[in-house]
Coordinates of all heavy atoms in Angstrom, one line a residue:
M1 N 174.8 46.3 -210.3 CA 174.9 46.6 -211.7 C 173.6 47.4 -212.1 O 172.5 47.2 -211.7 CB 174.9 45.3 -212.5 CG 174.8 45.5 -213.9 SD 175.4 44.2 -214.8 CE 174.6 43.1 -215.4
I2 N 173.9 48.5 -212.9 CA 172.8 49.3 -213.3 C 172.2 48.8 -214.6 O 173.0 48.6 -215.6 CB 173.3 50.8 -213.5 CG1 173.8 51.3 -212.2 CG2 172.2 51.7 -214.1 CD1 174.4 52.7 -212.3
N3 N 170.9 48.6 -214.6 CA 170.3 48.2 -215.9 C 169.0 49.1 -216.0 O 168.7 49.9 -215.1 CB 170.0 46.7 -215.9 CG 169.1 46.2 -214.8 OD1 168.3 47.0 -214.3 ND2 169.4 45.0 -214.3
S4 N 168.2 48.9 -217.0 CA 167.0 49.7 -217.2 C 166.0 49.5 -216.2 O 165.3 50.4 -215.8 CB 166.5 49.5 -218.6 OG 166.0 48.2 -218.7
K5 N 165.9 48.3 -215.6 CA 164.8 48.0 -214.6 C 165.2 48.7 -213.3 O 164.3 49.3 -212.7 CB 164.7 46.5 -214.4 CG 164.0 45.8 -215.5 CD 163.8 44.3 -215.2 CE 163.1 43.6 -216.3 NZ 162.9 42.2 -216.0
T6 N 166.4 48.6 -212.8 CA 166.8 49.3 -211.6 C 166.8 50.8 -211.8 O 166.4 51.5 -210.8 CB 168.2 48.8 -211.1 OG1 169.2 49.1 -212.1 CG2 168.2 47.4 -210.7
L7 N 167.2 51.3 -212.9 CA 167.1 52.7 -213.2 C 165.7 53.2 -213.1 O 165.4 54.3 -212.6 CB 167.8 53.0 -214.5 CG 168.0 54.5 -214.9 CD1 168.9 55.2 -213.8 CD2 168.6 54.6 -216.2
K8 N 164.8 52.5 -213.8 CA 163.4 52.9 -213.7 C 162.9 52.9 -212.3 O 162.1 53.8 -211.9 CB 162.5 52.0 -214.6 CG 162.6 52.2 -216.0 CD 161.7 51.2 -216.8 CE 161.9 51.3 -218.3 NZ 161.1 50.4 -219.0
K9 N 163.2 51.9 -211.5 CA 162.8 51.8 -210.1 C 163.3 53.0 -209.3 O 162.6 53.6 -208.5 CB 163.3 50.5 -209.5 CG 162.7 50.2 -208.1 CD 163.3 49.0 -207.4 CE 163.1 47.7 -208.2 NZ 163.6 46.6 -207.4
D10 N 164.6 53.4 -209.5 CA 165.2 54.5 -208.8 C 164.5 55.8 -209.2 O 164.3 56.7 -208.3 CB 166.7 54.5 -209.0 CG 167.5 53.4 -208.4 OD1 166.9 52.8 -207.5 OD2 168.6 53.1 -208.8
I11 N 164.3 56.0 -210.5 CA 163.7 57.2 -210.9 C 162.2 57.3 -210.4 O 161.8 58.4 -209.9 CB 163.7 57.2 -212.5 CG1 165.1 57.5 -213.0 CG2 162.8 58.4 -213.0 CD1 165.2 57.3 -214.5
F12 N 161.5 56.2 -210.4 CA 160.1 56.2 -209.8 C 160.1 56.5 -208.3 O 159.3 57.3 -207.9 CB 159.4 54.9 -210.1 CG 158.0 54.9 -209.7 CD1 157.1 55.6 -210.3 CD2 157.6 54.1 -208.5 CE1 155.7 55.6 -209.9 CE2 156.3 54.1 -208.1 CZ 155.4 54.9 -208.8
A13 N 161.1 55.9 -207.6 CA 161.2 56.2 -206.1 C 161.5 57.7 -205.9 O 160.9 58.3 -205.0 CB 162.3 55.3 -205.5
A14 N 162.4 58.3 -206.7 CA 162.7 59.7 -206.6 C 161.5 60.5 -206.9 O 161.2 61.5 -206.2 CB 163.9 60.0 -207.4
Y15 N 160.7 60.1 -207.9 CA 159.5 60.8 -208.3 C 158.5 60.8 -207.2 O 157.9 61.8 -206.9 CB 158.9 60.2 -209.6 CG 157.6 60.7 -210.0 CD1 157.5 62.0 -210.6 CD2 156.4 60.0 -209.7 CE1 156.2 62.5 -211.0 CE2 155.2 60.5 -210.1 CZ 155.1 61.7 -210.7 OH 153.9 62.2 -211.0
V16 N 158.3 59.7 -206.6 CA 157.3 59.5 -205.5 C 157.8 60.4 -204.3 O 156.9 61.1 -203.7 CB 157.1 58.1 -205.1 CG1 156.3 57.9 -203.8 CG2 156.5 57.3 -206.2
A17 N 159.0 60.4 -204.0 CA 159.6 61.2 -202.9 C 159.3 62.7 -203.2 O 159.0 63.4 -202.3 CB 161.0 60.9 -202.7
Q18 N 159.5 63.1 -204.4 CA 159.3 64.5 -204.8 C 157.9 64.9 -204.7 O 157.5 66.0 -204.3 CB 159.9 64.8 -206.1 CG 161.4 64.7 -206.2 CD 162.1 65.7 -205.2 OE1 161.7 66.9 -205.1 NE2 163.0 65.2 -204.5
E19 N 157.0 64.0 -205.1 CA 155.6 64.2 -205.0 C 155.1 64.4 -203.6 O 154.3 65.3 -203.3 CB 154.8 63.1 -205.7 CG 154.8 63.1 -207.2 CD 154.0 64.2 -207.8 OE1 152.9 64.5 -207.3 OE2 154.6 64.8 -208.7
I20 N 155.6 63.6 -202.7 CA 155.3 63.7 -201.3 C 155.8 65.0 -200.7 O 155.1 65.7 -200.0 CB 155.9 62.5 -200.5 CG1 155.2 61.2 -200.9 CG2 155.8 62.7 -199.0 CD1 155.8 59.9 -200.3
E21 N 157.0 65.4 -201.1 CA 157.6 66.7 -200.6 C 156.8 67.9 -201.2 O 156.6 68.8 -200.5 CB 159.1 66.8 -201.1 CG 159.8 68.0 -200.6 CD 160.0 68.1 -199.1 OE1 159.8 67.1 -198.4 OE2 160.4 69.2 -198.6
I22 N 156.4 67.8 -202.4 CA 155.6 68.9 -203.0 C 154.3 69.0 -202.3 O 153.8 70.1 -202.0 CB 155.4 68.6 -204.5 CG1 156.7 68.9 -205.3 CG2 154.3 69.5 -205.1 CD1 156.7 68.4 -206.7
E23 N 153.7 67.9 -202.0 CA 152.4 67.9 -201.2 C 152.6 68.5 -199.8 O 151.8 69.3 -199.4 CB 151.8 66.5 -201.1 CG 150.5 66.4 -200.5 CD 149.9 65.0 -200.4 OE1 150.3 64.2 -201.3 OE2 149.1 64.7 -199.5
R24 N 153.6 68.1 -199.2 CA 153.9 68.7 -197.8 C 154.2 70.2 -197.9 O 153.6 71.0 -197.1 CB 155.1 68.0 -197.2 CG 155.4 68.4 -195.8 CD 156.8 67.9 -195.3 NE 157.9 68.5 -195.9 CZ 158.4 69.7 -195.6 NH1 157.8 70.4 -194.7 NH2 159.4 70.1 -196.3
L25 N 154.9 70.6 -198.9 CA 155.2 72.1 -199.0 C 154.0 72.8 -199.4 O 153.8 74.0 -199.0 CB 156.3 72.3 -200.0 CG 157.7 71.8 -199.6 CD1 158.7 71.9 -200.7 CD2 158.2 72.6 -198.4
T26 N 153.1 72.3 -200.2 CA 151.9 72.9 -200.6 C 151.0 73.1 -199.4 O 150.4 74.2 -199.2 CB 151.1 72.1 -201.7 OG1 152.0 71.9 -202.8 CG2 149.8 72.7 -202.1
K27 N 150.9 72.1 -198.5 CA 150.1 72.3 -197.3 C 150.7 73.4 -196.4 O 150.0 74.2 -195.8 CB 150.0 71.0 -196.6 CG 149.1 69.9 -197.2 CD 149.1 68.6 -196.5 CE 148.3 67.6 -197.2 NZ 148.3 66.3 -196.5
E28 N 152.0 73.4 -196.3 CA 152.7 74.4 -195.5 C 152.5 75.8 -196.0 O 152.2 76.7 -195.3 CB 154.2 74.1 -195.4 CG 154.9 75.0 -194.4 CD 156.4 74.5 -194.2 OE1 156.7 73.4 -194.5 OE2 157.2 75.4 -193.9
I29 N 152.5 76.0 -197.4 CA 152.2 77.3 -198.0 C 150.8 77.7 -197.7 O 150.5 78.9 -197.3 CB 152.5 77.2 -199.5 CG1 154.0 77.2 -199.7 CG2 151.9 78.4 -200.2 CD1 154.4 76.9 -201.2
E30 N 149.8 76.8 -197.8 CA 148.4 77.1 -197.5 C 148.3 77.5 -196.1 O 147.6 78.5 -195.8 CB 147.5 75.9 -197.8 CG 147.4 75.6 -199.3 CD 146.6 74.3 -199.5 OE1 146.2 73.6 -198.5 OE2 146.5 73.9 -200.7
L31 N 149.0 76.8 -195.2 CA 148.9 77.2 -193.7 C 149.5 78.6 -193.5 O 148.9 79.4 -192.8 CB 149.6 76.1 -192.9 CG 149.7 76.4 -191.4 CD1 148.3 76.3 -190.8 CD2 150.6 75.4 -190.7
L32 N 150.6 78.9 -194.1 CA 151.2 80.2 -193.9 C 150.3 81.3 -194.5 O 150.2 82.4 -194.0 CB 152.6 80.2 -194.6 CG 153.7 79.4 -193.9 CD1 154.9 79.4 -194.7 CD2 153.9 80.0 -192.5
Q33 N 149.7 81.0 -195.7 CA 148.8 82.0 -196.3 C 147.6 82.3 -195.4 O 147.1 83.4 -195.2 CB 148.4 81.6 -197.7 CG 149.5 81.8 -198.7 CD 149.1 81.2 -200.0 OE1 148.2 80.4 -200.2 NE2 149.9 81.6 -201.1
T34 N 147.0 81.2 -194.8 CA 145.9 81.3 -193.9 C 146.3 82.1 -192.7 O 145.6 83.0 -192.2 CB 145.4 79.9 -193.5 OG1 145.1 79.2 -194.7 CG2 144.2 80.0 -192.6
A35 N 147.5 81.8 -192.2 CA 147.9 82.6 -191.0 C 148.2 84.0 -191.3 O 147.9 84.9 -190.5 CB 149.2 81.9 -190.5
K36 N 148.7 84.3 -192.5 CA 148.9 85.7 -192.9 C 147.6 86.5 -193.0 O 147.5 87.6 -192.6 CB 149.7 85.7 -194.2 CG 150.1 87.1 -194.7 CD 150.8 87.1 -196.0 CE 151.2 88.4 -196.5 NZ 151.8 88.4 -197.8
N37 N 146.6 85.8 -193.5 CA 145.3 86.5 -193.7 C 144.5 86.6 -192.4 O 143.6 87.4 -192.3 CB 144.5 85.7 -194.8 CG 145.1 85.8 -196.1 OD1 145.9 86.8 -196.4 ND2 144.9 84.9 -197.0
S38 N 144.8 85.7 -191.4 CA 144.0 85.8 -190.2 C 144.6 86.8 -189.2 O 145.7 87.3 -189.5 CB 143.9 84.4 -189.6 OG 145.2 84.0 -189.1
Q39 N 144.0 86.9 -188.1 CA 144.5 87.9 -187.1 C 145.3 87.1 -186.0 O 144.9 87.1 -184.8 CB 143.3 88.6 -186.4 CG 142.5 89.5 -187.4 CD 143.4 90.7 -187.8 OE1 144.2 91.2 -187.1 NE2 143.2 91.1 -189.1
M40 N 146.4 86.5 -186.4 CA 147.2 85.7 -185.5 C 148.0 86.7 -184.6 O 148.4 87.8 -185.1 CB 148.1 84.8 -186.2 CG 147.3 83.6 -186.8 SD 148.4 82.4 -187.5 CE 149.1 81.7 -186.0
L41 N 148.2 86.4 -183.4 CA 148.9 87.2 -182.5 C 150.4 87.0 -182.7 O 150.9 85.9 -182.9 CB 148.6 86.9 -181.0 CG 147.1 87.2 -180.6 CD1 146.9 86.7 -179.2 CD2 146.8 88.7 -180.8
T42 N 151.1 88.1 -182.6 CA 152.6 88.0 -182.7 C 153.2 88.1 -181.3 O 152.6 88.3 -180.3 CB 153.1 89.2 -183.5 OG1 152.8 90.4 -182.8 CG2 152.5 89.3 -184.9
V43 N 154.5 87.9 -181.3 CA 155.3 87.9 -180.0 C 155.2 89.3 -179.4 O 155.0 89.5 -178.2 CB 156.8 87.5 -180.3 CG1 157.6 87.7 -179.0 CG2 156.9 86.1 -180.8
D44 N 155.2 90.4 -180.3 CA 155.0 91.7 -179.8 C 153.6 91.9 -179.1 O 153.5 92.6 -178.1 CB 155.1 92.7 -180.9 CG 156.6 92.9 -181.4 OD1 157.5 92.6 -180.6 OD2 156.8 93.3 -182.5
D45 N 152.6 91.3 -179.7 CA 151.3 91.4 -179.1 C 151.3 90.7 -177.7 O 150.7 91.3 -176.7 CB 150.2 90.7 -180.0 CG 150.0 91.4 -181.3 OD1 150.2 92.6 -181.3 OD2 149.6 90.7 -182.3
Y46 N 151.9 89.6 -177.6 CA 152.0 88.9 -176.3 C 152.8 89.7 -175.3 O 152.4 89.8 -174.1 CB 152.6 87.5 -176.4 CG 151.7 86.5 -177.0 CD1 151.8 85.9 -178.2 CD2 150.6 86.0 -176.2 CE1 151.0 85.0 -178.7 CE2 149.7 85.1 -176.7 CZ 149.9 84.6 -178.0 OH 149.0 83.6 -178.4
S47 N 153.9 90.3 -175.7 CA 154.7 91.1 -174.8 C 154.0 92.3 -174.3 O 154.0 92.7 -173.2 CB 156.1 91.4 -175.4 OG 155.9 92.3 -176.5
N48 N 153.3 93.0 -175.2 CA 152.5 94.2 -174.9 C 151.4 93.8 -173.9 O 151.1 94.5 -172.9 CB 151.9 94.9 -176.1 CG 152.9 95.5 -177.0 OD1 154.0 95.8 -176.5 ND2 152.6 95.7 -178.2
D49 N 150.7 92.7 -174.1 CA 149.7 92.2 -173.3 C 150.2 91.9 -171.9 O 149.6 92.2 -170.9 CB 149.0 91.0 -173.8 CG 147.9 90.5 -173.0 OD1 146.9 91.3 -172.7 OD2 147.9 89.3 -172.6
F50 N 151.4 91.3 -171.8 CA 152.0 90.9 -170.6 C 152.3 92.2 -169.8 O 152.1 92.2 -168.6 CB 153.3 90.1 -170.8 CG 154.0 89.7 -169.5 CD1 153.5 88.7 -168.8 CD2 155.1 90.5 -169.1 CE1 154.2 88.4 -167.6 CE2 155.8 90.1 -167.9 CZ 155.3 89.1 -167.2
V51 N 152.9 93.2 -170.4 CA 153.2 94.5 -169.8 C 151.9 95.1 -169.2 O 151.9 95.6 -168.0 CB 153.9 95.4 -170.7 CG1 154.0 96.8 -170.1 CG2 155.3 94.9 -171.0
L52 N 150.9 95.2 -170.0 CA 149.6 95.8 -169.5 C 149.0 95.0 -168.3 O 148.6 95.6 -167.4 CB 148.6 95.8 -170.7 CG 148.9 96.8 -171.8 CD1 147.9 96.7 -172.9 CD2 149.0 98.2 -171.3
R53 N 149.1 93.7 -168.4 CA 148.6 92.8 -167.3 C 149.4 93.0 -166.0 O 148.9 93.1 -164.9 CB 148.6 91.4 -167.7 CG 147.5 91.0 -168.7 CD 147.6 89.6 -169.1 NE 146.6 89.2 -170.1 CZ 145.5 88.6 -169.8 NH1 145.1 88.3 -168.6 NH2 144.6 88.4 -170.8
A54 N 150.7 93.1 -166.2 CA 151.6 93.3 -165.1 C 151.3 94.7 -164.4 O 151.3 94.8 -163.2 CB 153.1 93.2 -165.5
E55 N 151.1 95.7 -165.2 CA 150.8 97.0 -164.6 C 149.5 96.9 -163.9 O 149.3 97.5 -162.8 CB 150.7 98.1 -165.7 CG 152.0 98.4 -166.3 CD 151.9 99.4 -167.5 OE1 150.8 99.7 -167.9 OE2 153.0 99.7 -168.1
R56 N 148.5 96.3 -164.5 CA 147.1 96.2 -163.8 C 147.2 95.4 -162.5 O 146.7 95.8 -161.5 CB 146.2 95.5 -164.8 CG 144.8 95.3 -164.3 CD 144.2 96.7 -164.1 NE 142.8 96.5 -163.5 CZ 142.1 97.5 -163.0 NH1 142.6 98.7 -163.1 NH2 141.0 97.3 -162.5
H57 N 148.0 94.3 -162.5 CA 148.1 93.5 -161.3 C 148.9 94.3 -160.3 O 148.6 94.1 -159.1 CB 148.8 92.2 -161.6 CG 147.9 91.2 -162.4 ND1 146.8 90.7 -161.9 CD2 148.1 90.6 -163.6 CE1 146.2 89.9 -162.7 NE2 147.0 89.8 -163.8
S58 N 149.8 95.1 -160.7 CA 150.6 95.9 -159.7 C 149.6 96.9 -159.0 O 149.7 97.0 -157.8 CB 151.7 96.6 -160.4 OG 152.3 97.5 -159.5
K59 N 148.8 97.5 -159.8 CA 147.8 98.4 -159.2 C 146.9 97.7 -158.3 O 146.6 98.2 -157.1 CB 147.0 99.1 -160.3 CG 147.8 100.1 -161.1 CD 146.9 100.7 -162.2 CE 147.8 101.6 -163.1 NZ 147.0 102.1 -164.3
E60 N 146.4 96.6 -158.7 CA 145.4 95.8 -157.8 C 146.1 95.3 -156.6 O 145.5 95.3 -155.5 CB 144.9 94.6 -158.6 CG 143.9 95.0 -159.7 CD 143.5 93.8 -160.5 OE1 144.0 92.7 -160.3 OE2 142.6 94.0 -161.4
F61 N 147.4 94.9 -156.7 CA 148.1 94.5 -155.5 C 148.3 95.6 -154.5 O 148.2 95.5 -153.3 CB 149.5 93.9 -155.9 CG 150.2 93.3 -154.7 CD1 149.8 92.1 -154.1 CD2 151.3 93.9 -154.2 CE1 150.4 91.5 -153.1 CE2 152.0 93.3 -153.2 CZ 151.6 92.1 -152.6
N62 N 148.6 96.8 -155.0 CA 148.8 98.0 -154.2 C 147.5 98.3 -153.5 O 147.5 98.7 -152.3 CB 149.3 99.2 -155.0 CG 150.8 99.0 -155.4 OD1 151.5 98.3 -154.7 ND2 151.2 99.7 -156.4
L63 N 146.4 98.2 -154.2 CA 145.1 98.5 -153.5 C 144.8 97.4 -152.5 O 144.2 97.7 -151.4 CB 144.0 98.5 -154.6 CG 144.0 99.6 -155.6 CD1 142.9 99.4 -156.7 CD2 143.7 100.9 -154.8
F64 N 145.2 96.2 -152.7 CA 145.0 95.1 -151.7 C 145.8 95.4 -150.5 O 145.3 95.2 -149.4 CB 145.5 93.8 -152.4 CG 145.6 92.6 -151.4 CD1 144.4 92.1 -150.9 CD2 146.8 92.1 -151.0 CE1 144.5 91.0 -150.0 CE2 146.9 91.1 -150.1 CZ 145.7 90.5 -149.6
L65 N 147.1 95.9 -150.7 CA 147.9 96.3 -149.5 C 147.2 97.4 -148.7 O 147.3 97.4 -147.5 CB 149.3 96.6 -149.9 CG 150.2 95.5 -150.5 CD1 151.5 96.0 -150.9 CD2 150.3 94.4 -149.4
E66 N 146.7 98.4 -149.4 CA 146.0 99.5 -148.7 C 144.8 98.9 -147.9 O 144.6 99.3 -146.8 CB 145.5 100.5 -149.7 CG 146.6 101.4 -150.3 CD 146.1 102.4 -151.3 OE1 144.9 102.7 -151.3 OE2 146.9 102.8 -152.1
D67 N 144.0 98.0 -148.5 CA 142.9 97.4 -147.8 C 143.4 96.6 -146.5 O 142.8 96.7 -145.5 CB 142.1 96.4 -148.7 CG 141.3 97.2 -149.8 OD1 141.2 98.4 -149.6 OD2 140.9 96.5 -150.7
L68 N 144.5 95.9 -146.7 CA 145.1 95.2 -145.5 C 145.5 96.2 -144.4 O 145.2 95.9 -143.2 CB 146.3 94.4 -145.9 CG 146.0 93.1 -146.6 CD1 147.3 92.3 -147.0 CD2 145.1 92.2 -145.8
K69 N 146.1 97.3 -144.8 CA 146.5 98.3 -143.8 C 145.2 98.9 -143.1 O 145.2 99.0 -141.9 CB 147.2 99.5 -144.5 CG 148.6 99.1 -144.9 CD 149.3 100.2 -145.6 CE 150.6 99.8 -146.2 NZ 151.2 100.9 -147.0
F70 N 144.2 99.1 -143.9 CA 142.9 99.6 -143.3 C 142.3 98.6 -142.3 O 141.9 99.0 -141.2 CB 141.9 100.0 -144.4 CG 140.6 100.4 -143.9 CD1 140.4 101.7 -143.4 CD2 139.5 99.5 -144.0 CE1 139.2 102.1 -143.0 CE2 138.3 99.9 -143.5 CZ 138.1 101.2 -143.0
A71 N 142.3 97.3 -142.7 CA 141.8 96.3 -141.9 C 142.6 96.1 -140.6 O 142.1 96.0 -139.5 CB 141.7 95.0 -142.6
A72 N 143.9 96.2 -140.7 CA 144.8 96.1 -139.6 C 144.6 97.3 -138.6 O 144.5 97.1 -137.4 CB 146.3 96.1 -140.0
E73 N 144.4 98.5 -139.1 CA 144.2 99.6 -138.3 C 142.8 99.5 -137.6 O 142.7 99.7 -136.4 CB 144.2 100.9 -139.1 CG 145.6 101.3 -139.5 CD 145.5 102.6 -140.4 OE1 144.5 103.2 -140.5 OE2 146.5 102.8 -141.1
F74 N 141.8 99.0 -138.3 CA 140.5 98.8 -137.8 C 140.5 97.8 -136.6 O 139.9 98.0 -135.6 CB 139.5 98.4 -138.9 CG 138.1 98.0 -138.4 CD1 137.2 99.0 -138.1 CD2 137.7 96.7 -138.2 CE1 136.0 98.8 -137.7 CE2 136.5 96.4 -137.8 CZ 135.6 97.4 -137.5
L75 N 141.2 96.7 -136.9 CA 141.2 95.6 -135.8 C 142.0 96.1 -134.6 O 141.7 95.8 -133.5 CB 141.8 94.4 -136.4 CG 141.0 93.6 -137.4 CD1 141.7 92.5 -138.0 CD2 139.7 93.2 -136.8
T76 N 143.1 96.8 -134.9 CA 143.9 97.4 -133.7 C 143.0 98.3 -132.9 O 143.1 98.2 -131.6 CB 145.1 98.1 -134.3 OG1 145.9 97.3 -135.1 CG2 146.0 98.7 -133.1
N77 N 142.2 99.1 -133.5 CA 141.4 100.0 -132.7 C 140.3 99.3 -132.0 O 140.0 99.6 -130.8 CB 140.7 101.1 -133.7 CG 141.7 102.1 -134.2 OD1 142.8 102.3 -133.6 ND2 141.4 102.6 -135.4
K78 N 139.7 98.2 -132.6 CA 138.7 97.4 -132.0 C 139.3 96.7 -130.8 O 138.7 96.5 -129.7 CB 138.0 96.5 -132.9 CG 137.1 97.1 -133.9 CD 136.0 97.8 -133.2 CE 135.1 98.6 -134.2 NZ 134.1 99.4 -133.5
I79 N 140.5 96.2 -130.9 CA 141.2 95.4 -129.8 C 141.4 96.4 -128.6 O 141.2 96.1 -127.5 CB 142.5 94.8 -130.3 CG1 142.1 93.6 -131.2 CG2 143.3 94.3 -129.1 CD1 143.3 93.0 -131.9
K80 N 141.8 97.6 -129.0 CA 142.0 98.6 -127.9 C 140.7 98.9 -127.2 O 140.7 99.1 -126.0 CB 142.6 99.9 -128.5 CG 144.1 99.7 -128.9 CD 144.7 101.0 -129.5 CE 146.1 100.8 -129.9 NZ 146.6 102.0 -130.6
E81 N 139.6 99.0 -127.9 CA 138.3 99.3 -127.3 C 137.9 98.1 -126.4 O 137.4 98.4 -125.3 CB 137.3 99.5 -128.4 CG 137.3 100.8 -129.1 CD 136.3 100.9 -130.2 OE1 135.2 100.2 -130.1 OE2 136.4 101.7 -131.1
V82 N 138.1 96.9 -126.9 CA 137.8 95.8 -126.0 C 138.6 95.7 -124.8 O 138.1 95.4 -123.7 CB 138.0 94.5 -126.8 CG1 137.9 93.2 -126.0 CG2 137.0 94.4 -128.0
R83 N 139.9 96.1 -124.8 CA 140.7 96.1 -123.6 C 140.2 97.2 -122.6 O 140.4 97.0 -121.4 CB 142.1 96.4 -124.0 CG 142.8 95.3 -124.6 CD 144.3 95.6 -124.9 NE 144.9 94.4 -125.6 CZ 146.1 94.5 -126.2 NH1 146.7 95.7 -126.2 NH2 146.6 93.5 -126.8
R84 N 139.6 98.3 -123.1 CA 139.1 99.3 -122.2 C 137.8 99.0 -121.5 O 137.5 99.6 -120.5 CB 138.9 100.6 -123.0 CG 140.2 101.4 -123.2 CD 139.9 102.7 -123.9 NE 140.1 102.4 -125.4 CZ 139.7 103.2 -126.3 NH1 139.1 104.3 -126.0 NH2 139.8 102.8 -127.6
V85 N 137.1 98.0 -122.0 CA 135.9 97.6 -121.4 C 136.2 96.9 -120.1 O 137.1 96.0 -120.0 CB 135.1 96.6 -122.3 CG1 133.9 96.0 -121.6 CG2 134.7 97.3 -123.6
E86 N 135.5 97.3 -119.1 CA 135.8 96.7 -117.7 C 134.8 95.5 -117.5 O 133.7 95.6 -118.0 CB 135.6 97.7 -116.6 CG 136.7 98.7 -116.7 CD 136.5 99.7 -115.4 OE1 135.9 99.3 -114.4 OE2 137.0 100.8 -115.5
L87 N 135.2 94.5 -116.8 CA 134.4 93.4 -116.5 C 133.3 93.9 -115.5 O 133.6 94.7 -114.6 CB 135.2 92.3 -115.9 CG 136.2 91.6 -116.9 CD1 137.0 90.6 -116.2 CD2 135.4 90.9 -118.1
P88 N 132.2 93.4 -115.5 CA 131.2 93.7 -114.5 C 131.7 93.3 -113.1 O 132.5 92.4 -113.0 CB 129.9 92.9 -114.9 CG 130.2 92.4 -116.3 CD 131.6 92.5 -116.5
S89 N 131.2 93.9 -112.1 CA 131.6 93.7 -110.8 C 131.4 92.3 -110.3 O 132.1 91.7 -109.5 CB 131.0 94.7 -109.8 OG 129.6 94.6 -109.9
F90 N 130.3 91.6 -110.7 CA 130.0 90.3 -110.2 C 131.0 89.2 -110.8 O 131.1 88.2 -110.3 CB 128.5 89.9 -110.5 CG 128.2 89.8 -112.0 CD1 128.4 88.6 -112.7 CD2 127.7 90.9 -112.7 CE1 128.1 88.5 -114.0 CE2 127.4 90.8 -114.0 CZ 127.5 89.6 -114.7
I91 N 131.7 89.6 -111.9 CA 132.7 88.6 -112.5 C 134.0 88.8 -111.8 O 134.7 87.8 -111.6 CB 132.8 88.9 -114.0 CG1 131.5 88.5 -114.7 CG2 133.9 88.0 -114.6 CD1 131.5 88.7 -116.2
K92 N 134.3 89.9 -111.2 CA 135.7 90.2 -110.6 C 135.9 89.4 -109.4 O 135.4 88.8 -108.6 CB 135.8 91.6 -110.2 CG 136.0 92.5 -111.4 CD 136.2 93.9 -111.0 CE 136.3 94.8 -112.2 NZ 136.5 96.2 -111.8

């Protein structure tokens, strides 16, 4: 049954719920305004950074492969030189 006491209680509960929602939305608006004014990174910033890093790592990896080829050639030549060395006669 609806009477003035239950109606007041319902109105007060709705009022408190609205106050809580207003406070939450106010904090969210402040957060969004702070984010708008600051230098926050966007998804485009992250994607551009990823592309630049991928290009840089690709160049570095290619240089690494060239270094490996150089090292392999160097070691191959040194192994060939070692094979050409003859053992001294007293070891034979």
Side-chain angles (χ1 to χ4, degrees):
M1 173 156 98
I2 298 177
N3 58 35
S4 64
K5 287 185 180 182
T6 58
L7 188 58
K8 285 181 184 179
K9 189 189 296 185
D10 291 342
I11 290 172
F12 183 72
Y15 172 78
V16 170
Q18 291 302 315
E19 286 291 317
I20 292 171
E21 182 68 12
I22 288 171
E23 185 178 333
R24 186 188 68 79
L25 290 173
T26 303
K27 288 179 183 178
E28 189 172 333
I29 288 171
E30 290 173 0
L31 179 67
L32 290 172
Q33 287 174 343
T34 303
K36 183 179 179 184
N37 294 335
S38 69
Q39 295 295 326
M40 291 187 70
L41 296 176
T42 63
V43 174
D44 289 336
D45 294 332
Y46 282 111
S47 64
N48 291 338
D49 182 57
F50 180 78
V51 169
L52 291 175
R53 287 176 184 264
E55 289 174 359
R56 181 66 183 167
H57 288 298
S58 175
K59 289 177 186 176
E60 290 177 353
F61 186 71
N62 288 336
L63 291 172
F64 171 71
L65 290 178
E66 288 178 20
D67 289 345
L68 283 180
K69 289 177 188 175
F70 177 75
E73 289 175 14
F74 176 79
L75 290 175
T76 303
N77 291 336
K78 287 299 177 185
I79 289 171
K80 288 178 183 176
E81 285 179 22
V82 169
R83 286 185 183 164
R84 280 185 268 167
V85 172
E86 292 187 23
L87 294 174
S89 58
F90 64 88
I91 295 180
K92 289 185 185 180

